[in-house]
Amino acid sequence: MNLNDTPPRMPSTLSERSRSEPFKEPATDGHPISGFTWRHPRTDLERPVVIINAATSLRCRYYSRFADYLFANGLDVITYDYRGIGESRNGSLRGFKASWSDWGVLDFEAILRRAQREFPGQPIDVVGHSFGGCAAGLGASGAVIRRIVTVGAQFAYWRDYQASGRWRMLAKWHVVMPLVTALFGYFPGQRLGWLEDTPAGVVRDWSTPTPTYETRPSGRALGELPFSRVTAQLLAISITDDPFGTVPAIERLLAYYSNSDRTHVRIAPEDIGEKQIGHFAFFRSEYQDRLWPIALAWLQSGQLTTDTLGISPNLRFNTPPRSTT
């Protein structure tokens, strides 16, 4: 399999220098959600608290080193697992009901409320990887978000996939994945080495071949989408060899954030001396000095400079509104 579109195996423990504390939080429907908090001992109303939204079916532990980095640079951080995944899984997923919209409307919303309660008066920022960037727009309390950084964020419309691998990806994620899910009652990702085990409703949302979020199964149930409540400064980071995060895919999601000030930074691997980065590698610690400062600068100031980027300023551009149809 191409490393660019295959999730890495998750570490079994948090990084050794992590200063996180575990927590449990009831989602807005009461379902228990588990995660970790990095908290500085002294309250500072100028210090942001950053919520990290994972990609579809990646454990929040995958982002622990990135959370350590943000914490070391003076930010408070919250990571968590969506229902049915990692720390928030309880028993078999066969027949377990969960969808993309549940992950955003119920789970992310609960973490937003927790951030307001546990860090009163502090700015709330969000980092969203892949679907995590979509989840950031689904919470009813989205108006409280100050800044957002997304990495490869989109909602898997197959025609937006990178042209060179589109048919292979269509077969893998939109044919094989739902067929295996129908057979088992959930997607046994750990057994196949593709993802974490994934609820069937999430697979239905992912694999439905429609270009708009509101026509995905759980999106139809929402009626009015809450994205417009978000007025945050939004930085979208995409990588040129990410087969999911093409320009059309990134802009398709950004168009939903119609009331946000949106900036799109597109980075080629060769810009930082690499041959490939792909969809998953941004959060690996090997990029702490070359990619992570881009996200940190945005969270700290809402601005980017050529020195911060370490790449050509021509790669930074504002994204205009774009039709989602």
Side-chain angles (χ1 to χ4, degrees), residues 18-23 35-39:
S18 173
R19 304 180 189 180
S20 65
E21 298 178 354
F23 71 83
F36 301 90
T37 302
W38 285 251
R39 185 196 306 266

mmCIF file of all heavy atoms in Angstrom, residues 18-23 35-39:
data_model
loop_
_atom_site.group_PDB
_atom_site.id
_atom_site.type_symbol
_atom_site.label_atom_id
_atom_site.label_comp_id
_atom_site.label_asym_id
_atom_site.label_seq_id
_atom_site.Cartn_x
_atom_site.Cartn_y
_atom_site.Cartn_z
ATOM 1 N N SER A 18 5.334 13.338 28.257
ATOM 2 C CA SER A 18 4.000 13.918 28.303
ATOM 3 C C SER A 18 3.597 14.286 29.718
ATOM 4 O O SER A 18 3.850 13.548 30.667
ATOM 5 C CB SER A 18 2.991 12.929 27.721
ATOM 6 O OG SER A 18 1.688 13.422 27.903
ATOM 7 N N ARG A 19 2.931 15.420 29.855
ATOM 8 C CA ARG A 19 2.439 15.884 31.152
ATOM 9 C C ARG A 19 0.918 15.868 31.173
ATOM 10 O O ARG A 19 0.288 16.673 31.854
ATOM 11 C CB ARG A 19 2.952 17.295 31.434
ATOM 12 C CG ARG A 19 4.481 17.425 31.367
ATOM 13 C CD ARG A 19 4.918 18.862 31.656
ATOM 14 N NE ARG A 19 6.338 19.047 31.386
ATOM 15 C CZ ARG A 19 6.986 20.206 31.551
ATOM 16 N NH1 ARG A 19 6.308 21.279 31.949
ATOM 17 N NH2 ARG A 19 8.270 20.303 31.277
ATOM 18 N N SER A 20 0.341 14.960 30.456
ATOM 19 C CA SER A 20 -1.109 14.945 30.323
ATOM 20 C C SER A 20 -1.776 14.213 31.472
ATOM 21 O O SER A 20 -1.176 13.386 32.151
ATOM 22 C CB SER A 20 -1.499 14.282 29.007
ATOM 23 O OG SER A 20 -1.116 12.924 29.012
ATOM 24 N N GLU A 21 -3.060 14.537 31.651
ATOM 25 C CA GLU A 21 -3.901 13.855 32.630
ATOM 26 C C GLU A 21 -5.134 13.330 31.918
ATOM 27 O O GLU A 21 -5.743 14.032 31.114
ATOM 28 C CB GLU A 21 -4.331 14.835 33.735
ATOM 29 C CG GLU A 21 -3.174 15.408 34.535
ATOM 30 C CD GLU A 21 -3.643 16.411 35.584
ATOM 31 O OE1 GLU A 21 -4.862 16.724 35.586
ATOM 32 O OE2 GLU A 21 -2.808 16.874 36.368
ATOM 33 N N PRO A 22 -5.544 12.087 32.202
ATOM 34 C CA PRO A 22 -6.733 11.532 31.542
ATOM 35 C C PRO A 22 -8.010 12.130 32.103
ATOM 36 O O PRO A 22 -8.051 12.594 33.249
ATOM 37 C CB PRO A 22 -6.639 10.037 31.860
ATOM 38 C CG PRO A 22 -5.866 9.974 33.127
ATOM 39 C CD PRO A 22 -4.885 11.113 33.090
ATOM 40 N N PHE A 23 -9.054 12.139 31.295
ATOM 41 C CA PHE A 23 -10.358 12.609 31.761
ATOM 42 C C PHE A 23 -11.453 11.827 31.068
ATOM 43 O O PHE A 23 -11.243 11.188 30.039
ATOM 44 C CB PHE A 23 -10.539 14.113 31.507
ATOM 45 C CG PHE A 23 -10.709 14.487 30.051
ATOM 46 C CD1 PHE A 23 -11.939 14.397 29.413
ATOM 47 C CD2 PHE A 23 -9.623 14.944 29.308
ATOM 48 C CE1 PHE A 23 -12.102 14.743 28.073
ATOM 49 C CE2 PHE A 23 -9.763 15.286 27.965
ATOM 50 C CZ PHE A 23 -11.009 15.186 27.353
ATOM 51 N N GLY A 35 -10.301 11.289 27.080
ATOM 52 C CA GLY A 35 -9.195 11.990 26.456
ATOM 53 C C GLY A 35 -8.143 12.372 27.465
ATOM 54 O O GLY A 35 -8.079 11.818 28.572
ATOM 55 N N PHE A 36 -7.315 13.353 27.086
ATOM 56 C CA PHE A 36 -6.192 13.785 27.908
ATOM 57 C C PHE A 36 -6.103 15.308 27.889
ATOM 58 O O PHE A 36 -6.412 15.949 26.884
ATOM 59 C CB PHE A 36 -4.881 13.189 27.401
ATOM 60 C CG PHE A 36 -4.870 11.686 27.387
ATOM 61 C CD1 PHE A 36 -5.288 10.982 26.262
ATOM 62 C CD2 PHE A 36 -4.466 10.976 28.501
ATOM 63 C CE1 PHE A 36 -5.298 9.592 26.245
ATOM 64 C CE2 PHE A 36 -4.467 9.584 28.497
ATOM 65 C CZ PHE A 36 -4.883 8.892 27.377
ATOM 66 N N THR A 37 -5.650 15.865 29.010
ATOM 67 C CA THR A 37 -5.500 17.313 29.137
ATOM 68 C C THR A 37 -4.071 17.651 29.518
ATOM 69 O O THR A 37 -3.501 17.039 30.431
ATOM 70 C CB THR A 37 -6.444 17.873 30.212
ATOM 71 O OG1 THR A 37 -7.796 17.553 29.877
ATOM 72 C CG2 THR A 37 -6.304 19.391 30.327
ATOM 73 N N TRP A 38 -3.496 18.621 28.824
ATOM 74 C CA TRP A 38 -2.211 19.224 29.185
ATOM 75 C C TRP A 38 -2.535 20.596 29.776
ATOM 76 O O TRP A 38 -3.013 21.479 29.056
ATOM 77 C CB TRP A 38 -1.323 19.392 27.965
ATOM 78 C CG TRP A 38 -0.682 18.160 27.416
ATOM 79 C CD1 TRP A 38 0.645 17.835 27.480
ATOM 80 C CD2 TRP A 38 -1.285 17.095 26.661
ATOM 81 N NE1 TRP A 38 0.894 16.645 26.827
ATOM 82 C CE2 TRP A 38 -0.282 16.162 26.323
ATOM 83 C CE3 TRP A 38 -2.603 16.828 26.257
ATOM 84 C CZ2 TRP A 38 -0.533 14.998 25.597
ATOM 85 C CZ3 TRP A 38 -2.869 15.669 25.540
ATOM 86 C CH2 TRP A 38 -1.841 14.770 25.219
ATOM 87 N N ARG A 39 -2.297 20.790 31.058
ATOM 88 C CA ARG A 39 -2.729 22.011 31.736
ATOM 89 C C ARG A 39 -1.563 22.639 32.496
ATOM 90 O O ARG A 39 -0.899 21.981 33.304
ATOM 91 C CB ARG A 39 -3.839 21.679 32.728
ATOM 92 C CG ARG A 39 -4.460 22.883 33.420
ATOM 93 C CD ARG A 39 -5.268 22.448 34.647
ATOM 94 N NE ARG A 39 -6.253 21.429 34.329
ATOM 95 C CZ ARG A 39 -7.532 21.697 34.020
ATOM 96 N NH1 ARG A 39 -7.964 22.922 34.010
ATOM 97 N NH2 ARG A 39 -8.351 20.692 33.743
#
